[in-house]
Amino acid sequence: MRRSNIICCVVGMVIVLLLTACRDNTVYHRYLHTNRAGWERNDTLRFLIPPVKEAGRYCEELGLRTDGNYPFLSLTLIVEQTKGHTGDVRRDTVECKLITKQGRVMGAGINHYQYTFPLATIDLEKEDSLRIIIRHDMKRELLPGIMDVGIQMTKMQ
């Protein structure tokens, strides 16, 4: 009797995991690496999001991965988005708070840190694509400690 209960629990957990996985509305998720020597101010990162299959509202998030060499409390980024179908351009300045004034890292990790920041909510028509360009807007020309920058886009229900 006990063995059958364990098997039922395992089967139930697998079904729940499969149903949960099917509800993931992520349509794009990608990270790009920056130069190991440092991210140069003019080195833009380009994300090309392919045409979406459904019209709707999409949520965009910005991801960062840093190491212990990043010398500032925050990071300022210029994010420019161009809709492929209409050519509409949206430009935002995003300030990413990474470390509190008390020195506490706000990201997850030990030696390398992962951060996620809300970027925008955007309405797209079926077959709309996006081109997103990101560059840093810090006083230093060469910015150490930023390893990867990413974009995740999910369809809202």
Side-chain angles (χ1 to χ4, degrees):
M1 184 77 169
R2 185 176 178 152
R3 183 177 173 162
S4 65
N5 285 344
I6 293 172
I7 291 172
C8 285
C9 286
V10 170
V11 169
M13 286 190 303
V14 168
I15 290 172
V16 168
L17 288 173
L18 288 174
L19 290 175
T20 304
C22 292
R23 290 190 186 138
D24 184 14
N25 294 324
T26 300
V27 295
Y28 185 83
H29 193 196
R30 181 166 185 212
Y31 277 85
L32 296 176
H33 303 290
T34 60
N35 191 329
R36 291 184 68 85
W39 187 12
E40 292 185 44
R41 182 188 304 256
N42 294 327
D43 185 14
T44 58
L45 302 174
R46 299 179 192 318
F47 298 88
L48 301 174
I49 299 173
V52 295
K53 295 178 182 173
E54 294 181 55
R57 180 162 278 201
Y58 291 82
C59 178
E60 298 171 326
E61 291 183 321
L62 176 74
L64 291 175
R65 294 178 183 146
T66 67
D67 63 22
N69 295 322
Y70 187 71
F72 303 109
L73 300 178
S74 64
L75 170 66
T76 303
L77 299 173
I78 304 296
V79 180
E80 183 178 298
Q81 300 186 53
T82 306
K83 279 188 185 180
H85 201 82
T86 62
D88 293 341
V89 177
R90 175 185 176 148
R91 183 174 291 131
D92 295 304
T93 301
V94 180
E95 184 176 356
C96 305
K97 302 250 187 230
L98 305 178
I99 302 171
T100 66
K101 290 181 181 178
Q102 295 76 28
R104 185 178 63 83
V105 175
M106 298 172 73
I110 297 173
N111 290 350
H112 294 82
Y113 304 100
Q114 174 85 33
Y115 302 87
T116 303
F117 301 96
L119 186 56
T121 301
I122 188 169
D123 292 315
L124 296 174
E125 299 298 322
K126 183 178 180 179
E127 299 300 319
D128 271 349
S129 61
L130 281 176
R131 183 186 71 184
I132 300 175
I133 298 173
I134 300 175
R135 62 180 162 65
H136 79 79
D137 191 33
M138 301 295 284
K139 292 187 190 262
R140 276 194 184 177
E141 286 295 321
L142 191 63
L143 196 59
I146 303 295
M147 299 180 339
D148 303 300
V149 178
I151 294 290
Q152 180 172 355
M153 192 166 83
T154 55
K155 184 168 187 315
M156 299 174 72
Q157 293 294 354

